[in-house]
Amino acid sequence: MIPLKFFDDVMSLKRVPRSGWITYRISGHDVESVSSHSYSVAVIALVMSEIMRSRNQKVDVEKVLKMALLHDLSESLTFDISKAYLRYLGRKGSVLKTRLERKAASRILSDLQNKQLARTFRAAIGGYSSSKTLEARIVHCADALDLLLQVIEYERMGYSKVTLDPIWRETRSKLLKYRLPLGNEWSRQLQRVRTGLDRKRRRAKSRSLAVKRPGYGRLRLG
Amino acid sequence: MIPLKFFDDVMSLKRVPRSGWITYRISGHDVESVSSHSYSVAVIALVMSEIMRSRNQKVDVEKVLKMALLHDLSESLTFDISKAYLRYLGRKGSVLKTRLERKAASRILSDLQNKQLARTFRAAIGGYSSSKTLEARIVHCADALDLLLQVIEYERMGYSKVTLDPIWRETRSKLLKYRLPLGNEWSRQLQRVRTGLDRKRRRAKSRSLAVKRPGYGRLRLG
Amino acid sequence: MIPLKFFDDVMSLKRVPRSGWITYRISGHDVESVSSHSYSVAVIALVMSEIMRSRNQKVDVEKVLKMALLHDLSESLTFDISKAYLRYLGRKGSVLKTRLERKAASRILSDLQNKQLARTFRAAIGGYSSSKTLEARIVHCADALDLLLQVIEYERMGYSKVTLDPIWRETRSKLLKYRLPLGNEWSRQLQRVRTGLDRKRRRAKSRSLAVKRPGYGRLRLG
Amino acid sequence: MIPLKFFDDVMSLKRVPRSGWITYRISGHDVESVSSHSYSVAVIALVMSEIMRSRNQKVDVEKVLKMALLHDLSESLTFDISKAYLRYLGRKGSVLKTRLERKAASRILSDLQNKQLARTFRAAIGGYSSSKTLEARIVHCADALDLLLQVIEYERMGYSKVTLDPIWRETRSKLLKYRLPLGNEWSRQLQRVRTGLDRKRRRAKSRSLAVKRPGYGRLRLG
Amino acid sequence: MIPLKFFDDVMSLKRVPRSGWITYRISGHDVESVSSHSYSVAVIALVMSEIMRSRNQKVDVEKVLKMALLHDLSESLTFDISKAYLRYLGRKGSVLKTRLERKAASRILSDLQNKQLARTFRAAIGGYSSSKTLEARIVHCADALDLLLQVIEYERMGYSKVTLDPIWRETRSKLLKYRLPLGNEWSRQLQRVRTGLDRKRRRAKSRSLAVKRPGYGRLRLG
Amino acid sequence: MIPLKFFDDVMSLKRVPRSGWITYRISGHDVESVSSHSYSVAVIALVMSEIMRSRNQKVDVEKVLKMALLHDLSESLTFDISKAYLRYLGRKGSVLKTRLERKAASRILSDLQNKQLARTFRAAIGGYSSSKTLEARIVHCADALDLLLQVIEYERMGYSKVTLDPIWRETRSKLLKYRLPLGNEWSRQLQRVRTGLDRKRRRAKSRSLAVKRPGYGRLRLG
């Protein structure tokens, strides 16, 4: 039997906005969906895993991808719970968030009507939350990296750097917490890209426009 | 070094619409992004794989997920090439589409600036295109199932059944081609859901509205 | 000193979507903002109050309007907490929602940096939550009536009646709870409008289209 | 010297919505722009002109196209003045509309800073308003035909037939006023398409969904 | 009997855009609705009233709130008449606007089908237009303050300061006309916020990005 | 018989986005439709033609307008084929694009079910592609000028100058290729407008905001 209710939940993530962006004054139309976000997290985590493998680290890629695909599944029920608000509640806030999300995940997984499958998926979600394994740390880093890349995307569109600054800084420090060399290295490089982005813009403004390509292409190389 | 250009391509999929839906008169605002679609394909393929595993079939889940995540990557360059049009070109059309997408994939993978990684990813994309392995057939089925589920989503919103009929029928026959028992079984069940959806609507209209809950929940169970 | 932070919160309600509609498959673009909703609630409550006054009931209109304007203020922080989800938590869910909203309201009111004003506003919000006074019951009814009117609006656009049925029924029974004769009377009339809307549609379909105006105008009169 | 102000006005028509559709409950996102509308009017008028030519009628195509391209230019200033409202003012309303639009056109044409050109364009706009020449009647018919075709488009998306009925009927009678055989003929055919559209939908609902293609393609052939 | 037609008009304000923003190149998607605007005006007017009360001025808050809620009601019929255009007509333009809006208000109030209520509401709308009472001046100031706050909102999103400058300056001088000390005081403070906003941005650009939080929170305090 | 299928194709251009803008990070909501673009091209080409006529050049305006109206018709089938991608294919890319568009045009014209008309329209499209006649060069220039004007529009909204630079420069050099004195003259003037736009912005930032109107009006005069 096709687990239709479960798939309904999965499909609904296409319509659930990452509402946190509203706080940072991104237009409703440009706010990404939860599934768009989860896709990028999965691809970033995949690239990280393969690079770490090539550096002779042992990574269970299947486990990484499962975590990445399932880590925001609960948001089909809870929507994207306002971090801005929960932060205000202090430590209680994040405890609450975790509890709400765990309950929601349970209900969604029960819709699979397949106990074995539910168990496998619950393990993946639980593993992600506990942040203990290498695989979980990779996905947490990918989650943060997607957010940093998205800030850069929004700034390239024309959204305000000043308005986006707090979420950028907050996410960078969060990323450090997972102490993954690759994550830290990339975070530093993204910082340079963002600064360069800014420098480029100021320079472009402070000289004639007749100059040779200030180059969007090169810009992307940081 | 962070493969920034590659990630730019991945991020841009959040902004690339699945433009095929425009042909079926879905409002621009409700057209899903390529990354939203790819996410659902990956989760559906994951569920299929696990169920097949539990039926003692051997499935390489890592391979399945890589294919699902990378199968539409070329669209960050080509955008969603109009199938409506290519169909008109006949067999040449699909040859052309394949060629354009392969070239685009090559360019995107070269942005990884990491030959080993590019090779791994090219293998996944190539494997998907050739449709030979069980893993590729699972992802092709998941690709079609996501589309059928999306049609049902749009019809539940209020989009016209008549207008969506051709894409529904075309996708169902495409699904059969991959001869996966699970895919065929689910396709039949989705047909019943869609018919039931229709019946429910007519019935709801042909009697008083004071009735007991025709039940959205139950409706979803077909 | 202008209470800028407080006004920031008020202004942000223009951007906060009533996300509950997403559950009922309303397109993101057509989902009303919290401030749009609060405006209608205030006007409906005003009309109710004046009609009750003309029937010689004593109503404190200033109090009614303050409650209506402030009752969803907390959503500038909490966003529109998913009722779909909280319902799943049972009684605990609504307790939790109340607690989250009260805390959020406190923080927002502290941004007024004017203790006297904060006290006045807190009294209005508190009075609304307790639902004891006639004024609070009027606003609660207006809150439900706006939702019923909005369902009719969405159905007139073309959104699916079947999909919207659960929220319609749930809101109608909620409305009864406040035992306001005017609210009950209007709720029954809206039921007839919705049924008529449906009948009109079926009739329009079951005869030639060359008929004399089935009349949109008349339709609105139920 | 490039007539920049004039072009600013022309470009702004891409952002000016045909707000009349809001009255008929079309979602803001699906409301066409004034320039999109003017484009279709021009192409429809072109096709009409060429067909009439081939029937040996003398048509000044250059004149037709100028009228079609310029007839809504004033809306870059006035926006799309609500016909729903002006109708309420009775005959005074349409006099007022004409006067407002003529004044606006004058101001826009003065931005051309080229008297000869302004005169040529004023002649085209004036000729359209007076509705005397064959060319003006062609453009008026094309204006109405575009609206009828757009109603069919919206209904194919899923918008409500009942809600759109008044504008359909009103436009059909307006079309008759211009007594152009081709216009009347096409209007009758569009009526059959719309009726067929409706029949098709009902039939599709009253039998099994397993039927052979109710055929979107054929439907379009009326 | 529920005054359904009147409520239809009220509900439609959720869909009527404040089209004046289009002139200032705000994206259609970010243009607020008339009801969103009216909500903010009502809350701002409420805060002003309470502060003036606490300074021992006598304010009829019920009257203030009625005016705020009803002052743009006519726009459900007239839509948001383009000020850009009427300004061009000079003094005649504003006379015309007033006349159009009064007529529209009459028709909407007649939909109440309740003469006493219509009279009460007409008094509120008339009182607002004449601008004579303290209450009317408060609402006019609140109307202007909402616009200034909205300009700041749009600039924080990334909309162009240069493009928004004319509406900012025009609104500030309009505000002065109502000679309300509180309004003038707040207008000056908002000017400082906007200037600070600008300074902050320039400073953020002219030094390294590694600085301590330029602080979004503090920024809001000007 | 009304050529309904042909008109379906024409109407669908209102829904086909100029997807090239996505590459330059314009929000999906602000991307113009193909018909909006074609309208502006037609008006610009009309103004160019009339000015050239007044300079005693012989221009066939009917021919110009037909080309302008029909030049992007094929996109109702092909959608807006990604130039970003075809450029990557080198010379082969543009050959391919031409071939795809010609085939699409053929199919659309066959929907006219009127051989004579199809021939007339094919001649117009063919004439445009070959770029040989003065009329074709005018339309090609108008096509490029609309794009430059649109870049300025987007920058006035707040979109990023740095991101839009490549398309601006590429289009300016393309424009030169058609060696039309009027086109070159206007291109230079637009360059000054854009530079001025930039200067204005920097100046506005580098002095107090209390200055006299930096004047949006004047800005538009370059």
Side-chain angles (χ1 to χ4, degrees):
Chain A
M1 200 59 189
I2 185 169
L4 195 54
K5 267 181 135 177
F6 178 78
F7 284 151
D8 273 356
D9 288 328
V10 172
M11 296 302 280
S12 78
L13 291 176
K14 295 181 182 180
R15 291 179 287 114
V16 176
R18 293 252 293 166
S19 49
W21 290 117
I22 295 176
T23 311
Y24 297 97
R25 290 179 164 73
I26 302 303
S27 162
H29 188 266
D30 292 326
V31 169
E32 56 180 339
S33 67
V34 171
S35 47
S36 265
H37 159 71
S38 293
Y39 172 74
S40 288
V41 172
V43 177
I44 295 169
L46 172 59
V47 172
M48 292 180 79
S49 303
E50 294 286 357
I51 290 180
M52 288 166 77
R53 263 184 181 172
S54 73
R55 293 178 181 180
N56 294 316
Q57 241 176 317
K58 235 184 112 167
V59 183
D60 182 341
V61 175
E62 182 182 324
K63 202 168 154 184
V64 164
L65 296 183
K66 273 180 186 163
M67 281 180 182
L69 291 171
L70 302 172
H71 84 287
D72 275 340
L73 194 58
S74 64
E75 297 189 3
S76 69
L77 267 193
T78 63
F79 290 178
D80 186 26
I81 296 175
S82 168
K83 264 155 233 152
Y85 176 54
L86 295 172
R87 197 183 317 134
Y88 163 70
L89 293 181
R91 239 175 55 83
K92 258 194 226 169
S94 74
V95 170
L96 182 66
K97 185 170 191 285
T98 306
R99 195 155 53 92
L100 283 173
E101 289 181 352
R102 191 172 315 145
K103 281 223 150 197
S106 284
R107 169 158 152 7
I108 294 167
L109 294 179
S110 76
D111 286 343
L112 278 166
Q113 299 187 292
N114 179 326
K115 286 201 178 157
Q116 192 181 336
L117 196 50
R119 216 168 321 138
T120 315
F121 284 8
R122 189 170 298 112
I125 296 174
Y128 174 73
S129 296
S130 73
S131 316
K132 277 179 199 151
T133 59
L134 174 63
E135 284 78 9
R137 285 159 59 216
I138 291 176
V139 179
H140 275 288
C141 280
D143 191 41
L145 286 165
D146 169 69
L147 203 146
L148 296 181
L149 285 163
Q150 190 60 47
V151 167
I152 291 178
E153 279 291 317
Y154 284 139
E155 291 180 358
R156 279 176 180 167
M157 287 180 75
Y159 280 104
S160 158
K161 185 177 204 53
V162 173
T163 305
L164 287 162
D165 246 21
I167 183 75
W168 174 270
R169 261 181 279 100
E170 184 184 319
T171 306
R172 280 202 70 208
S173 23
K174 201 172 133 195
L175 211 161
L176 291 175
K177 265 183 28 194
Y178 296 103
R179 266 168 294 161
L180 217 57
L182 196 60
N184 296 349
E185 185 191 324
W186 288 5
S187 164
R188 270 194 310 278
Q189 287 166 359
L190 285 179
Q191 179 65 67
R192 281 203 296 276
V193 171
R194 192 172 181 241
T195 314
L197 186 68
D198 189 54
R199 255 185 222 143
K200 212 120 224 166
R201 195 175 293 155
R202 269 178 299 136
R203 225 184 307 147
K205 284 181 178 163
S206 60
R207 56 179 165 166
S208 156
L209 281 155
V211 293
K212 294 274 157 51
R213 294 207 154 220
Y216 170 70
R218 223 176 276 157
L219 177 121
R220 295 197 296 187
L221 289 163
Chain B
M1 200 61 189
I2 184 169
L4 196 54
K5 267 181 135 178
F6 178 78
F7 284 153
D8 273 357
D9 287 327
V10 172
M11 296 302 280
S12 77
L13 291 176
K14 295 181 182 180
R15 291 179 287 114
V16 176
R18 294 251 294 166
S19 48
W21 289 116
I22 296 177
T23 311
Y24 297 97
R25 291 180 162 73
I26 302 303
S27 162
H29 187 266
D30 292 327
V31 169
E32 54 179 339
S33 67
V34 172
S35 47
S36 266
H37 159 71
S38 293
Y39 172 75
S40 288
V41 172
V43 177
I44 295 169
L46 172 60
V47 172
M48 291 179 80
S49 303
E50 294 286 357
I51 290 179
M52 287 165 78
R53 261 183 183 171
S54 75
R55 293 177 182 180
N56 294 316
Q57 241 175 319
K58 235 183 110 170
V59 183
D60 181 342
V61 175
E62 183 183 322
K63 202 169 154 183
V64 164
L65 295 183
K66 273 181 186 163
M67 280 181 184
L69 292 172
L70 302 173
H71 85 286
D72 275 339
L73 194 58
S74 63
E75 298 190 1
S76 70
L77 267 193
T78 62
F79 290 178
D80 187 23
I81 295 176
S82 169
K83 264 156 234 151
Y85 176 55
L86 294 173
R87 198 183 315 134
Y88 164 69
L89 292 182
R91 241 175 54 82
K92 260 196 226 169
S94 75
V95 170
L96 183 64
K97 186 170 191 281
T98 308
R99 196 156 52 93
L100 284 173
E101 289 180 352
R102 191 172 315 144
K103 282 223 147 195
S106 283
R107 168 155 153 9
I108 294 166
L109 295 179
S110 76
D111 285 343
L112 278 165
Q113 299 185 294
N114 179 324
K115 286 201 180 159
Q116 193 181 335
L117 196 50
R119 215 168 325 141
T120 314
F121 283 10
R122 188 169 300 113
I125 296 175
Y128 174 72
S129 296
S130 72
S131 314
K132 278 180 198 151
T133 59
L134 175 62
E135 284 79 8
R137 284 159 60 215
I138 291 176
V139 179
H140 276 288
C141 280
D143 191 42
L145 287 165
D146 168 69
L147 203 147
L148 295 179
L149 286 162
Q150 191 59 47
V151 167
I152 291 178
E153 279 292 318
Y154 283 138
E155 291 181 358
R156 278 176 180 167
M157 287 179 76
Y159 280 104
S160 158
K161 185 177 206 54
V162 174
T163 305
L164 287 161
D165 246 19
I167 184 75
W168 174 271
R169 261 179 281 101
E170 183 184 318
T171 306
R172 281 201 70 210
S173 21
K174 201 172 133 195
L175 211 161
L176 291 176
K177 265 182 27 194
Y178 296 102
R179 265 167 295 158
L180 216 57
L182 197 60
N184 296 348
E185 185 189 325
W186 288 5
S187 164
R188 270 194 308 279
Q189 288 166 358
L190 284 179
Q191 178 65 68
R192 281 204 295 277
V193 171
R194 193 173 181 239
T195 315
L197 186 69
D198 189 56
R199 255 188 220 140
K200 213 121 223 166
R201 196 174 292 154
R202 268 178 301 136
R203 224 184 308 147
K205 284 183 179 162
S206 59
R207 56 180 167 169
S208 156
L209 281 155
V211 293
K212 295 272 158 53
R213 295 206 153 220
Y216 170 70
R218 222 177 274 158
L219 177 119
R220 295 197 297 187
L221 290 163
Chain C
M1 200 60 188
I2 184 169
L4 196 53
K5 268 181 135 176
F6 177 78
F7 285 151
D8 273 357
D9 289 326
V10 172
M11 296 303 280
S12 78
L13 290 176
K14 295 181 182 179
R15 290 179 287 114
V16 176
R18 293 252 294 165
S19 49
W21 290 116
I22 295 176
T23 312
Y24 296 98
R25 291 179 163 74
I26 302 301
S27 162
H29 188 265
D30 292 326
V31 169
E32 55 179 341
S33 66
V34 172
S35 46
S36 265
H37 159 71
S38 293
Y39 172 75
S40 289
V41 172
V43 176
I44 295 169
L46 172 60
V47 172
M48 293 180 80
S49 303
E50 294 286 357
I51 290 179
M52 288 165 78
R53 261 183 182 172
S54 74
R55 294 178 181 179
N56 295 315
Q57 242 176 317
K58 238 183 109 168
V59 183
D60 181 342
V61 176
E62 182 182 323
K63 203 167 153 184
V64 165
L65 295 184
K66 273 181 186 163
M67 281 179 182
L69 292 172
L70 302 172
H71 83 288
D72 274 341
L73 194 58
S74 64
E75 297 188 4
S76 69
L77 267 193
T78 62
F79 290 180
D80 186 26
I81 296 175
S82 168
K83 263 154 235 152
Y85 176 55
L86 294 173
R87 197 181 317 134
Y88 163 70
L89 293 181
R91 240 174 56 82
K92 259 195 225 168
S94 75
V95 169
L96 182 65
K97 185 171 192 283
T98 306
R99 195 154 53 93
L100 283 173
E101 289 181 352
R102 192 174 312 146
K103 281 224 151 197
S106 283
R107 169 156 151 9
I108 294 167
L109 294 179
S110 76
D111 285 343
L112 278 166
Q113 299 186 293
N114 178 326
K115 286 201 179 158
Q116 192 182 336
L117 197 50
R119 215 167 324 137
T120 314
F121 283 8
R122 189 170 299 112
I125 296 174
Y128 174 73
S129 296
S130 73
S131 315
K132 278 179 197 151
T133 59
L134 174 62
E135 284 79 10
R137 284 158 59 215
I138 290 175
V139 179
H140 276 289
C141 280
D143 192 41
L145 287 166
D146 169 69
L147 203 146
L148 296 180
L149 286 163
Q150 190 60 45
V151 167
I152 291 178
E153 279 292 316
Y154 284 139
E155 291 181 358
R156 280 178 180 164
M157 288 180 76
Y159 280 103
S160 158
K161 183 176 207 55
V162 173
T163 305
L164 287 161
D165 246 20
I167 183 75
W168 174 270
R169 259 179 282 101
E170 184 185 318
T171 306
R172 279 202 72 208
S173 24
K174 201 172 133 194
L175 211 160
L176 291 174
K177 263 183 28 194
Y178 296 103
R179 265 168 294 159
L180 217 55
L182 196 62
N184 295 350
E185 186 190 323
W186 288 6
S187 164
R188 272 195 307 279
Q189 288 166 0
L190 285 179
Q191 179 64 68
R192 282 203 296 274
V193 171
R194 194 175 181 237
T195 314
L197 186 69
D198 190 55
R199 255 184 222 143
K200 212 121 225 165
R201 196 175 291 155
R202 269 178 299 137
R203 227 184 306 147
K205 283 181 180 166
S206 60
R207 55 180 165 166
S208 156
L209 281 156
V211 293
K212 294 274 155 51
R213 293 206 154 222
Y216 170 68
R218 222 176 276 157
L219 176 120
R220 295 197 297 186
L221 289 163
Chain D
M1 201 63 189
I2 185 170
L4 196 54
K5 268 180 134 178
F6 177 78
F7 285 151
D8 272 359
D9 289 326
V10 172
M11 297 302 280
S12 78
L13 291 176
K14 295 181 183 179
R15 290 178 287 114
V16 176
R18 294 251 294 167
S19 49
W21 290 117
I22 296 176
T23 311
Y24 297 97
R25 290 179 164 74
I26 301 303
S27 162
H29 188 267
D30 292 327
V31 169
E32 53 178 342
S33 67
V34 172
S35 48
S36 266
H37 160 69
S38 292
Y39 173 74
S40 289
V41 172
V43 177
I44 294 169
L46 173 60
V47 172
M48 291 179 80
S49 302
E50 294 285 0
I51 290 180
M52 286 165 78
R53 260 184 183 172
S54 74
R55 293 177 182 180
N56 294 315
Q57 242 176 318
K58 237 184 107 169
V59 183
D60 181 341
V61 175
E62 182 182 324
K63 203 166 153 186
V64 164
L65 296 182
K66 274 180 185 163
M67 280 178 184
L69 292 171
L70 302 172
H71 84 288
D72 275 340
L73 194 59
S74 64
E75 298 188 2
S76 69
L77 267 192
T78 63
F79 290 179
D80 187 25
I81 297 175
S82 167
K83 264 157 234 151
Y85 176 54
L86 294 173
R87 199 181 315 135
Y88 164 69
L89 291 181
R91 240 174 55 83
K92 261 194 227 171
S94 74
V95 170
L96 183 65
K97 186 170 190 282
T98 307
R99 194 153 55 92
L100 285 173
E101 289 181 352
R102 191 172 315 146
K103 281 222 152 199
S106 282
R107 169 159 154 3
I108 295 166
L109 294 180
S110 76
D111 285 344
L112 278 166
Q113 299 186 294
N114 179 325
K115 285 199 180 159
Q116 193 182 335
L117 197 49
R119 215 166 326 138
T120 313
F121 283 10
R122 190 171 299 114
I125 296 175
Y128 174 73
S129 296
S130 73
S131 312
K132 278 179 198 152
T133 60
L134 174 63
E135 283 79 10
R137 284 157 60 212
I138 290 176
V139 179
H140 276 288
C141 280
D143 191 43
L145 287 166
D146 169 70
L147 203 146
L148 296 180
L149 286 163
Q150 190 59 47
V151 167
I152 292 178
E153 280 291 316
Y154 284 138
E155 291 180 358
R156 280 177 180 165
M157 288 180 75
Y159 280 105
S160 158
K161 183 176 207 51
V162 173
T163 305
L164 286 162
D165 246 19
I167 183 75
W168 174 270
R169 262 181 279 102
E170 183 185 318
T171 306
R172 278 202 74 210
S173 20
K174 202 172 131 193
L175 210 161
L176 290 175
K177 263 184 30 195
Y178 296 103
R179 266 167 294 158
L180 218 56
L182 197 61
N184 295 350
E185 187 190 323
W186 288 6
S187 164
R188 271 193 308 279
Q189 287 165 0
L190 286 177
Q191 179 65 67
R192 282 203 296 277
V193 171
R194 193 172 182 238
T195 315
L197 186 69
D198 189 55
R199 255 188 221 138
K200 214 119 225 168
R201 196 174 292 153
R202 268 177 300 137
R203 225 183 309 147
K205 283 181 178 163
S206 59
R207 54 181 168 167
S208 155
L209 281 156
V211 294
K212 295 273 157 52
R213 291 209 156 220
Y216 168 70
R218 221 176 275 157
L219 176 120
R220 294 198 297 187
L221 289 164
Chain E
M1 199 63 189
I2 185 169
L4 195 54
K5 269 181 133 177
F6 177 78
F7 285 152
D8 272 358
D9 288 326
V10 172
M11 297 302 280
S12 78
L13 291 175
K14 295 181 183 180
R15 292 178 285 115
V16 176
R18 294 252 294 166
S19 49
W21 290 116
I22 296 176
T23 311
Y24 297 97
R25 288 178 165 74
I26 301 303
S27 162
H29 188 267
D30 292 327
V31 169
E32 54 178 341
S33 66
V34 172
S35 47
S36 267
H37 160 69
S38 293
Y39 173 74
S40 289
V41 172
V43 177
I44 295 168
L46 173 59
V47 172
M48 292 179 80
S49 303
E50 295 285 359
I51 290 180
M52 287 166 78
R53 260 183 184 173
S54 74
R55 293 176 182 181
N56 294 316
Q57 240 175 320
K58 235 183 111 168
V59 183
D60 181 342
V61 175
E62 183 183 322
K63 203 168 152 183
V64 164
L65 295 183
K66 273 180 188 164
M67 280 179 184
L69 291 172
L70 302 173
H71 85 287
D72 275 340
L73 194 59
S74 64
E75 297 188 2
S76 70
L77 267 193
T78 63
F79 290 178
D80 187 24
I81 296 176
S82 167
K83 265 157 233 151
Y85 176 54
L86 294 173
R87 198 183 315 135
Y88 162 69
L89 292 181
R91 240 174 55 82
K92 259 194 227 169
S94 76
V95 169
L96 184 65
K97 186 170 191 280
T98 307
R99 195 156 54 94
L100 284 173
E101 289 180 352
R102 191 173 315 144
K103 281 223 150 197
S106 282
R107 169 158 152 7
I108 294 167
L109 295 179
S110 76
D111 285 344
L112 279 166
Q113 298 186 295
N114 178 326
K115 286 199 180 161
Q116 194 181 332
L117 196 50
R119 215 167 322 138
T120 314
F121 283 9
R122 188 170 299 115
I125 296 175
Y128 174 72
S129 296
S130 73
S131 312
K132 278 179 196 151
T133 59
L134 174 63
E135 284 78 8
R137 284 157 61 213
I138 291 176
V139 179
H140 276 288
C141 280
D143 191 43
L145 287 165
D146 169 69
L147 203 147
L148 295 179
L149 286 162
Q150 190 59 47
V151 166
I152 292 178
E153 279 292 317
Y154 284 138
E155 291 181 358
R156 280 178 179 163
M157 287 179 77
Y159 280 104
S160 159
K161 185 179 206 52
V162 173
T163 305
L164 287 161
D165 247 20
I167 184 76
W168 175 270
R169 261 180 280 103
E170 183 183 318
T171 306
R172 279 202 72 210
S173 22
K174 202 171 131 192
L175 211 161
L176 291 175
K177 262 183 31 194
Y178 296 102
R179 265 167 295 159
L180 217 56
L182 196 62
N184 295 349
E185 186 189 325
W186 288 5
S187 164
R188 271 194 307 280
Q189 288 166 0
L190 285 178
Q191 178 65 67
R192 282 203 296 277
V193 171
R194 194 172 181 239
T195 315
L197 186 69
D198 188 54
R199 255 188 220 139
K200 213 119 223 169
R201 196 174 293 155
R202 269 177 300 137
R203 225 184 308 147
K205 284 183 178 164
S206 58
R207 56 180 168 171
S208 155
L209 281 156
V211 293
K212 296 273 156 52
R213 293 207 155 219
Y216 170 70
R218 223 178 272 158
L219 175 119
R220 295 197 296 186
L221 289 163
Chain F
M1 201 60 188
I2 185 168
L4 197 54
K5 268 181 136 176
F6 178 77
F7 285 150
D8 273 357
D9 289 326
V10 172
M11 296 303 280
S12 78
L13 291 175
K14 296 181 182 181
R15 291 180 286 114
V16 176
R18 293 251 295 166
S19 48
W21 289 116
I22 296 176
T23 312
Y24 296 98
R25 290 179 163 76
I26 302 303
S27 163
H29 188 266
D30 292 327
V31 169
E32 54 178 341
S33 66
V34 172
S35 48
S36 266
H37 160 70
S38 292
Y39 172 75
S40 289
V41 172
V43 177
I44 295 169
L46 172 60
V47 172
M48 292 180 80
S49 303
E50 294 286 358
I51 290 180
M52 287 166 77
R53 261 185 184 173
S54 74
R55 294 177 181 180
N56 295 315
Q57 242 175 318
K58 236 183 110 170
V59 183
D60 182 342
V61 175
E62 183 183 322
K63 204 168 152 185
V64 164
L65 296 183
K66 273 180 188 163
M67 281 179 183
L69 292 171
L70 302 172
H71 85 288
D72 274 342
L73 194 59
S74 64
E75 297 188 3
S76 69
L77 267 193
T78 62
F79 291 0
D80 186 25
I81 297 175
S82 168
K83 264 155 235 154
Y85 175 55
L86 294 173
R87 198 181 317 135
Y88 163 69
L89 293 181
R91 241 174 53 83
K92 258 195 229 170
S94 74
V95 169
L96 183 65
K97 186 171 190 280
T98 307
R99 194 153 55 93
L100 284 172
E101 288 181 352
R102 191 172 315 145
K103 281 222 153 199
S106 282
R107 170 160 153 2
I108 295 166
L109 294 180
S110 76
D111 285 344
L112 278 165
Q113 299 185 294
N114 179 326
K115 286 199 180 160
Q116 193 181 334
L117 198 49
R119 215 167 325 137
T120 314
F121 284 9
R122 190 170 299 113
I125 296 175
Y128 174 73
S129 297
S130 73
S131 314
K132 278 179 199 154
T133 59
L134 174 63
E135 284 78 10
R137 285 157 60 214
I138 291 176
V139 179
H140 276 290
C141 281
D143 192 43
L145 287 165
D146 169 70
L147 203 146
L148 296 180
L149 286 163
Q150 191 60 47
V151 167
I152 292 178
E153 279 292 315
Y154 284 138
E155 291 181 359
R156 279 177 179 164
M157 288 179 75
Y159 279 104
S160 158
K161 183 174 207 54
V162 173
T163 305
L164 286 161
D165 247 20
I167 183 75
W168 173 270
R169 260 179 280 102
E170 184 185 318
T171 306
R172 279 203 73 209
S173 22
K174 202 173 132 194
L175 210 161
L176 291 175
K177 262 183 30 193
Y178 296 103
R179 266 168 294 159
L180 216 57
L182 196 62
N184 296 351
E185 188 190 322
W186 288 5
S187 164
R188 272 194 308 278
Q189 287 165 1
L190 285 178
Q191 179 64 67
R192 281 202 297 276
V193 171
R194 194 173 181 237
T195 315
L197 186 70
D198 190 55
R199 256 187 220 141
K200 214 120 225 166
R201 195 175 291 154
R202 269 177 299 135
R203 226 183 308 148
K205 283 181 179 166
S206 61
R207 54 182 167 165
S208 155
L209 280 156
V211 293
K212 296 273 156 53
R213 292 207 154 219
Y216 169 69
R218 224 176 274 158
L219 176 119
R220 294 199 295 186
L221 288 164

